[in-house]
Amino acid sequence: MKVFKFGGASVKDAPSVKNVAEVIRQFCNHELVVIVSAMGKTTNALEELVRLHFEKGDWQTQLQAIKDFHFEISEGLFKAEHQVFDRLESIFEGIAEYINGANGKSYIEVYSEMVSQGELLSTRIIRNYLNENIHKTIWIDARNYVKTDYNYIDARVDWDMTRRNISEKIPVFTKDAIVITQGFIGSNGEGKTTTLGREGSDFSASIFATGLNAESVTVWKDVPGVMTADPNKMPDAKIIPKLSYTDASEMTYYGASIIHPRTIKPLAQNGIKLYVRPFTSPKELGTTIGADAAGKHPASFILKTKQVFVDFKVTDFAFIDEKKLSMIFNALDQLNIKINLMQNSAVSFSICIDKKFDKVEKLVARLSDSFNIEMRDNLEMLTVKGYDQVALDKIYTRKEVLLEQKSKDVYHLLYVPEKKHQRLGESA
Ligand code: ASP
Ligand code: MG
């Protein structure tokens, strides 16, 4: 059994969907479960729809644009009288009806129900196309399999129940059909839709693979594989052919956006290989992530934008002690904030965190009675994993560095980005 995952960029228009179908054709003699994301930037568009509803804006025009986008793609794939158009029509009617009746519902509940429609739409369209052109398929609703807690927008998986659902029912389907399902979505104990966090479809692929005890997961991407840097920012970036689970997981921790951070752990625990391959040239092998020690891989540059630096200074001429640190860590834990970098001195403790929702404001509000807090916004953090002097020489000195840290294998630099757009590796 193989699990494939196709992200939004791989199904952004009709020719892309045809390309995905051709990739699948080459593997349709295998037992296959295919996880698909929403098409193109649909998730963003649906988030905007939800925002407009809550701010009493014109959500109807936004919904029409999303509908037009999906109809246009479908017109490039099906004949005018195809039944898929009725199906889509009824999904869009359902969306409008839901929003009209959503007053009084919480933001996060409406968010998950509406944003999940992107994946439900894309899998309907793709399923129909594959059925007619490539192979028999079975469409399943991932919400009936992936069971989660009540955190609507960053839901935690109930592994026991989810694994049971998947392992008991899905292998029956894959005997003579390709199973098509949605990434990113699940449901809670009341059967209401939950979502696994933005870009969560990779994680879905790993959930299904675990339940199926699959031999591998392949994430088909618009890049040749895992690269040593973002090729748009560093033209001499190279593909890394082989990575260990540990190295890959560390790279996602530092901000490598190629794979969702929660994807690797379940695969590593079950010894399931992860391939990252280009959907534009499916013959290429891309990157293989597995248990084997892959040796020292080349220095990799990982850039995280939208970073915030927060410095907590003691107010009472005392030192930063364990009590004070534990206050800070408690607040971080309760707000579910991950520290990307930290540093302490005698009288202060500084952290670098992501700017996400209103979490930074909430953190400051909680601790401002106990500390003098200073903040710097709009920063970038560059991590070089497996660095050597040659790699560090590629980083030109920026105007203002807030924090620099080196450990044996990893180098971090937190800085104010230059206004003029310069690429990493270019001399100033
Ligand atoms: N469609 C969702 C998103 O854009 C999930 C995913 O693409 O992985 O965040
Ligand atoms: Mg996406």
Side-chain angles (χ1 to χ4, degrees), residues 5 7-8 37-38 40 43-44 119 183-184 197-202:
K5 182 258 169 170
S37 300
T43 307
N44 292 350
E119 271 70 11
F184 181 52
R198 288 301 308 267
E199 306 304 326
S201 294
D202 294 349

Side-chain angles (χ1 to χ4, degrees), residues 137-150:
T137 57
I138 288 183
W139 181 94
I140 63 168
D141 189 329
R143 295 173 296 185
N144 296 333
Y145 296 85
V146 179
K147 288 295 178 184
T148 74
D149 66 5
Y150 284 74

Side-chain angles (χ1 to χ4, degrees), residues 163-364:
R163 213 174 271 144
R164 202 173 331 120
N165 288 341
I166 294 172
S167 65
E168 281 174 7
K169 296 184 218 154
I170 295 185
V172 184
F173 302 144
T174 53
K175 290 270 170 282
D176 66 337
I178 295 174
V179 171
I180 309 292
T181 193
Q182 307 79 35
F184 181 52
I185 69 176
S187 71
N188 64 22
E190 286 174 13
K192 286 186 175 159
T193 307
T194 55
T195 46
L196 304 174
R198 288 301 308 267
E199 306 304 326
S201 294
D202 294 349
F203 181 41
S204 300
S206 130
I207 295 169
F208 277 95
T210 306
L212 293 164
N213 206 6
E215 57 171 280
S216 64
V217 169
T218 308
V219 174
W220 295 93
K221 301 282 296 187
D222 55 358
V223 288
V226 180
M227 311 281 288
T228 53
D230 178 347
N232 296 316
K233 297 211 166 72
M234 217 159 147
D236 64 351
K238 286 183 193 61
I239 175 169
I240 309 174
K242 227 173 151 196
L243 269 175
S244 65
Y245 291 125
T246 316
D247 281 335
S249 143
E250 266 181 52
M251 285 170 77
T252 68
Y253 179 87
Y254 296 131
S257 57
I258 185 142
I259 316 158
H260 189 277
R262 282 155 87 184
T263 311
I264 293 167
K265 187 176 163 196
L267 299 181
Q269 284 171 333
N270 293 281
I272 300 168
K273 282 224 159 45
L274 173 61
Y275 301 110
V276 180
R277 296 176 65 172
F279 59 72
T280 45
S281 27
K283 294 258 178 307
E284 277 170 38
L285 293 177
T287 300
T288 303
I289 299 166
D292 321 339
K296 191 172 158 37
H297 63 82
S300 327
F301 294 73
I302 304 152
L303 186 68
K304 239 176 173 328
T305 57
K306 293 197 202 151
Q307 296 298 291
V308 188
F309 178 75
V310 193
D311 182 53
F312 302 91
K313 272 200 180 53
V314 287
T315 52
D316 52 4
F317 302 101
F319 296 128
I320 277 278
D321 60 10
E322 287 65 25
K323 239 194 201 75
K324 294 203 168 66
L325 284 176
S326 79
M327 276 173 73
I328 299 173
F329 279 105
N330 264 329
L332 290 165
D333 181 39
Q334 275 159 19
L335 292 165
N336 198 6
I337 299 176
K338 170 177 164 272
I339 302 176
N340 298 328
L341 205 58
M342 60 182 153
Q343 179 173 270
N344 70 313
S345 72
V347 292
S348 83
F349 181 69
S350 333
I351 56 173
C352 164
I353 57 182
D354 292 347
K355 190 174 173 66
K356 242 192 196 172
F357 307 112
D358 53 354
K359 287 192 177 184
V360 182
E361 289 75 12
K362 282 191 173 145
L363 178 70
V364 171

